[in-house]
Amino acid sequence: MTTHERFILEDGSYIRFKKSGSGKPLILLHTIRNRLEYFDQVTPLLENFYTVYALDLPGFGDSPVNKATNYDQSYMTKAVVGFVKNNKLSKLTLAGESIGGVLCATVAMMLPKKVEKIFVFNPYDYDTNFGEGVRRANLFARFIIWNMSLPVVGNFFAALENKLILWLIFRGGVYNKKAITFKYISLLSTSTRKSGNVYHTRNVFSNFKSWTEAKKQYKELKVPVTLVYGEHDWSSAEDRLESRDLMNPEKYVELTDTGHFSFLDAPENAANVIKSWRQIADPFQPSADSKTDKGG
């Protein structure tokens, strides 16, 4: 049974979350410009192994925007920490992609006694300017994000966001272009019509330094880390090496034929990475050949 609920944030707004499955808790944290439905293909593959919490990050998806809030890494970290404490979660696994991957590390550092393991997918921790990583998606993304960064016309370009623009940018984040479906882009585009969306989009990108600075904290991690990159992720070889050296992961994985949005591009492979550790930690869990793994 799946439940859809709200968690009230310190600024009076809220984030949506979806809870399903059974077992020890697993929190899933999405990328920039995404929402909890990002994990819809992965969640059914994990429900026999974990109680899965898929979250909207603050201001994303159908969660409202507060224009008085600064949506930087610190705020997002505190929001997830508050969620963990409010729900009294322990023996927790965190798995996230892009900024969600960075949040796995920052949350684990704040809650080392509650977090057992983190899975960091394609961490977005290398921007030196506004939307640098996203600009690597393709020429169209470079044009849109650069114009969005400008002080006068930036709001205009952020307001232009629609199904076509999202489709073109998201296709630059996957190896398998069919992974970006019209249905999913239509769902993402509903956020463009909500109050405060332009403010939130530009504010998140403008806080790029907060995500890059977070990387300096990786060496303080006390929990086991699995670091995962898509073969065709936007990060450079130098970006990956720096994060790997600082994080010193227990396990390092590179997913072949996979881009930045690995939970859309290769959902079964992403789920298998997360399940493999739970099977080692608890040998009485279902095997990787279970019906769930086959999509049943």
Side-chain angles (χ1 to χ4, degrees), residues 171-242:
R171 279 173 58 87
V174 293
Y175 178 82
N176 172 23
K177 304 306 179 186
K178 292 182 179 179
I180 307 303
T181 65
F182 178 78
K183 180 180 179 181
Y184 188 66
I185 292 300
S186 296
L187 176 63
L188 283 184
S189 69
T190 61
S191 299
T192 65
R193 299 188 290 273
K194 74 180 181 183
S195 176
N197 180 67
V198 170
Y199 167 80
H200 181 262
T201 299
R202 294 195 71 218
N203 184 263
V204 170
F205 278 117
S206 294
N207 278 298
F208 63 89
K209 288 183 180 179
S210 70
W211 302 98
T212 304
E213 286 295 311
K215 178 160 60 174
K216 297 176 182 178
Q217 304 174 44
Y218 290 167
K219 58 186 177 182
E220 300 173 16
L221 280 165
K222 305 297 183 185
V223 302
V225 181
T226 293
L227 177 60
V228 186
Y229 282 103
E231 179 185 8
H232 303 283
D233 179 51
W234 297 330
S235 56
S236 67
E238 291 76 14
D239 296 330
R240 300 181 192 197
L241 181 60
E242 183 179 15

Side-chain angles (χ1 to χ4, degrees), residues 9 13-15 58-66 71 194-195 200:
L9 299 171
S13 63
Y14 64 84
I15 56 172
F60 289 93
D62 288 339
S63 299
V65 174
N66 184 338
Y71 291 95
K194 74 180 181 183
S195 176
H200 181 262

Side-chain angles (χ1 to χ4, degrees), residues 33 48 110 148 159 225 240 256 264:
R33 199 55 193 90
N48 283 357
M110 291 189 70
M148 197 184 294
V225 181
R240 300 181 192 197
T256 59
L264 296 177

Side-chain angles (χ1 to χ4, degrees), residues 136-154:
R136 299 174 186 177
N138 49 40
L139 289 174
F140 184 80
R142 189 177 306 170
F143 172 78
I144 289 292
I145 301 299
W146 180 80
N147 280 283
M148 197 184 294
S149 72
L150 299 176
V152 178
V153 300

Side-chain angles (χ1 to χ4, degrees), residues 247-282:
M247 201 171 288
N248 190 26
E250 179 182 62
K251 188 175 182 180
Y252 179 85
V253 179
E254 189 165 288
L255 300 177
T256 59
D257 297 342
T258 305
H260 184 70
F261 300 117
S262 69
F263 286 82
L264 296 177
D265 212 358
E268 290 190 5
N269 290 340
N272 284 339
V273 169
I274 299 170
K275 286 190 295 185
S276 63
W277 182 77
R278 175 50 60 204
Q279 288 168 333
I280 294 171
D282 185 353

Side-chain angles (χ1 to χ4, degrees), residues 7 9-10 73-83 103 106-107 110:
F7 170 65
L9 299 171
E10 61 181 18
Q73 175 272 130
S74 178
Y75 179 80
M76 302 254 187
T77 297
K78 290 176 182 177
V80 179
V81 167
F83 179 86
L103 287 173
T106 56
V107 171
M110 291 189 70

